[in-house]
């Protein structure tokens, strides 16, 4: 599927002009997808992605996460919806489970469940007591053109104070993208957060607009999952 991704883009009606199809490869974070809405550069609302149209309002809990800026600089758009993934670092997950076990409370199965449970707390002080982080990677509603390329928009997100995954990389075609996948897969065990694959996105936003979506899935992106992790134990 991945090796056929760029040729499918080439065959799409109204093919792009000649030249490389530049991709952006980003780690696929195993967390909880959220949308953050800024009005006049102030954080006003945050929600889970839900079904893509309607999510759960978790604004109060998201305000406790240090990675989410409450105010954006003056060069940010008047209206901006930032999309990202909230996750719990592995080190924080281990510490949380140790505290839960010592207190005789429920132990979480994995960092993703711990992050989701923390964000859905009715008491925001519980959320604040747990270490949660964010990686921003996209936008929704925006009052001005975001940038010419996806990579440029990621750089703008960094300038506005949002964490962007440092392993994300521009790739001049499929071979470079697969090399990045291999490199990230080798790095995976040493990361302090869970990832389950790499997402490749067409870099040019005008090509993204031309390619559009099929149902809720974009034609301009494809996920390349990692194989299931295996281990050996003694019974």
């Amino acid at each position: 599927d991945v090796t056929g991704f760029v040729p499918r883009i080439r065959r799409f009606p109204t093919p792009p002009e000649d030249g490389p199809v530049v991709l952006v490869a980003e780690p696929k974070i195993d967390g909880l997808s959220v949308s953050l809405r800024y009005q006049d550069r102030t954080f006003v609302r945050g929600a889970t992605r839900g079904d893509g149209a309607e999510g759960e309002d978790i604004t109060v809990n998201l305000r406790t996460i240090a990675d989410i800026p409450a105010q954006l600089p003056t060069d940010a758009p008047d209206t901006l919806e930032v999309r990202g993934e909230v996750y719990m670092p592995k080190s924080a997950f281990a510490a949380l489970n140790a505290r839960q076990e010592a207190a005789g409370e429920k132990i979480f199965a994995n960092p993703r469940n711990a992050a989701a449970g923390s964000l859905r707390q009715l008491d925001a002080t519980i959320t604040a007591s747990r270490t949660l982080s964010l990686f921003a990677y996209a936008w929704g509603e925006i009052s001005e053109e975001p940038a010419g390329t996806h990579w440029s928009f990621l750089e703008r997100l960094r300038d506005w104070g949002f964490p962007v995954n440092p392993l994300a990389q521009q790739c001049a075609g499929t071979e470079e993208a697969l090399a990045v996948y291999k490199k990230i897969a080798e790095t995976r065990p040493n990361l302090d957060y869970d990832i389950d694959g790499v997402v490749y996105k067409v870099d040019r936003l005008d090509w993204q607009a031309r390619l559009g979506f099929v149902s809720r899935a974009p034609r301009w992106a494809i996920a390349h999952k990692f194989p299931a992790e295996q281990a050996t134990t003694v019974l």
Side-chain angles (χ1 to χ4, degrees):
D1 287 344
V2 173
T3 55
F5 179 55
V6 168
R8 285 198 301 274
I9 291 169
R10 290 284 190 202
R11 291 194 302 269
F12 194 75
T14 320
E17 62 267 24
D18 291 336
V21 176
V22 178
L23 305 174
V24 175
E26 299 177 53
K28 188 175 181 295
I29 310 301
D30 192 13
L32 185 71
S33 297
V34 297
S35 292
L36 312 171
R37 184 177 180 85
Y38 289 80
Q39 198 65 50
D40 297 323
R41 288 161 290 282
T42 300
F43 178 48
V44 295
R45 186 177 303 112
T48 62
R49 287 297 309 279
D51 61 3
E54 183 174 345
E56 182 181 348
D57 190 331
I58 52 172
T59 307
V60 175
N61 291 346
L62 287 170
R63 290 188 191 279
T64 69
I65 300 176
D67 283 346
I68 298 176
Q71 203 74 31
L72 301 183
T74 55
D75 64 334
D78 294 337
T79 299
L80 173 65
E81 178 192 351
V82 174
R83 294 178 178 170
E85 201 85 3
V86 171
Y87 66 95
M88 180 175 287
K90 293 177 184 177
S91 54
F93 170 71
L96 171 62
N97 264 353
R99 294 196 304 270
Q100 293 287 104
E101 186 174 18
E105 301 288 341
K106 180 188 77 171
I107 292 176
F108 292 97
N110 53 58
R112 187 187 189 283
N113 286 358
S118 300
L119 278 179
R120 291 191 167 100
Q121 292 291 326
L122 297 177
D123 183 356
T125 61
I126 297 177
T127 308
S129 71
R130 299 175 181 176
T131 303
L132 296 172
S133 300
L134 171 89
F135 281 127
Y137 57 75
W139 67 95
E141 184 180 357
I142 190 168
S143 58
E144 63 184 52
E145 288 298 319
T149 64
H150 180 72
W151 186 254
S152 297
F153 184 75
L154 293 180
E155 291 178 331
R156 294 190 73 184
L157 284 174
R158 288 191 188 95
D159 293 341
W160 295 334
F162 293 97
V164 173
N165 194 283
L167 298 177
Q169 191 171 322
Q170 268 184 319
C171 308
T174 304
E175 292 306 314
E176 279 193 25
L178 291 173
V180 170
Y181 172 90
K182 182 179 179 182
K183 182 178 178 182
I184 292 175
E186 292 170 351
T187 306
R188 181 186 183 192
N190 301 319
L191 298 175
D192 195 30
Y193 49 89
D194 282 335
I195 59 176
D196 56 11
V198 175
V199 179
Y200 309 118
K201 303 175 182 177
V202 173
D203 193 28
R204 282 183 51 169
L205 299 188
D206 57 341
W207 288 9
Q208 287 190 15
R210 180 182 60 80
L211 290 161
F213 288 75
V214 178
S215 183
R216 288 173 54 193
R219 289 193 185 94
W220 43 265
I222 187 170
H224 189 178
K225 292 290 194 77
F226 293 129
E229 289 186 286
Q230 295 182 336
T232 301
T233 189
V234 176
L235 297 181

